[in-house]
Amino acid sequence: AQSVAQPEDQVNVAEGNPLTVKCTYSVSGNPYLFWYVQYPNRGLQFLLKYITGDNLVKGSYGFEAEFNKSQTSFHLKKPSALVSDSALYFCAVRDGYSSASKIIFGSGTRLSIRP
Amino acid sequence: EAEVAQSPRYKITEKSQAVAFWCDPISGHATLYWYRQILGQGPELLVQFQDESVVDDSQLPKDRFSAERLKGVDSTLKIQPAELGDSAMYLCASSLGRGPTEAFFGQGTRLTVV
């Protein structure tokens, strides 16, 4: 069965420092991977995706993610954190190519950026 | 910018009552999802539609939950009767329905059962 793991419940970073939010996945076929961000009492906002191609994908708000097939990882990164990046971040994987495939989410990582 | 519309934003209901949530996906999106998110956890898929057909409802508690998308556009999720454990955020999302595309989420409905 397909699954996503976010090993850290919380990540704390000082403003201006680089940040990394970790994600590992398990799929039987090709991985289709996504990152979302959620602010309090709001829905999830799409940040970026990996479908195929370059292992480094760029997304919204200066975020990027690195796909590593050998380590089955898709870590979210940003070179310089902002206080406004503080939110809940979810990694997700589609369990197939078709539109009928499910999108499965990790348990989330709370990112806290201190001024 | 097109958005997924959900209503109501907040709902308080007494246990054993019926409650319904509505979702209007982005125009042209064939796939519609309903997720339940317990506070501090990741979203859990309840039901997925492709046009008007259910493609996955394996995690939907069918004794009390029902979902429909009659004309393949907007959708309703119903709970009857509501239980205390149903308190959660109910999220609707939609995607184009061709290939492994991302899903776009609505603002959600925060349900509190008292």
Side-chain angles (χ1 to χ4, degrees), chain B residues 47 49 60-62 64-68 76-80:
Chain B
V47 61
F49 290 90
L60 188 71
K62 298 181 187 66
R64 298 185 300 107
F65 285 64
S66 64
E68 60 183 17
T76 302
L77 178 70
K78 296 179 181 177
I79 308 174
Q80 182 173 16

Side-chain angles (χ1 to χ4, degrees), chain B residues 10-77:
Chain B
Y10 303 92
K11 180 70 178 178
I12 300 174
T13 191
E14 293 182 349
K15 66 177 182 178
S16 79
Q17 295 299 303
V19 63
F21 314 128
W22 176 80
C23 172
D24 191 13
I26 293 172
S27 178
H29 280 194
T31 308
L32 185 147
Y33 316 77
W34 283 102
Y35 285 87
R36 177 171 59 188
Q37 184 182 24
I38 296 171
L39 191 64
Q41 298 183 18
E44 172 196 16
L45 182 68
L46 291 175
V47 61
Q48 180 172 336
F49 290 90
Q50 184 70 18
D51 299 310
E52 67 276 9
S53 300
V54 173
V55 297
D56 191 301
D57 63 357
S58 57
Q59 299 303 310
L60 188 71
K62 298 181 187 66
D63 57 334
R64 298 185 300 107
F65 285 64
S66 64
E68 60 183 17
R69 193 184 184 198
L70 293 177
K71 297 183 179 178
V73 181
D74 58 336
S75 176
T76 302
L77 178 70

Side-chain angles (χ1 to χ4, degrees), chain A residues 17-33:
Chain A
N17 283 0
L19 68 88
T20 299
V21 183
K22 297 180 180 177
C23 171
T24 59
Y25 65 88
S26 174
V27 297
S28 54
N30 291 323
Y32 306 106
L33 298 156

Side-chain angles (χ1 to χ4, degrees), chain A residues 19-25 31 33-35 47-59 62-79 91-92:
Chain A
L19 68 88
T20 299
V21 183
K22 297 180 180 177
C23 171
T24 59
Y25 65 88
L33 298 156
F34 309 87
W35 275 103
L47 281 178
L48 51 78
K49 65 183 176 184
Y50 173 82
I51 303 299
T52 187
D54 287 343
N55 289 341
L56 186 65
V57 294
K58 295 188 182 295
F63 284 94
E64 57 191 26
E66 186 170 12
F67 171 68
N68 188 315
K69 188 173 183 178
S70 62
Q71 297 185 6
T72 61
S73 67
F74 188 56
H75 299 334
L76 181 71
K77 299 181 180 185
K78 188 173 183 181
C91 183

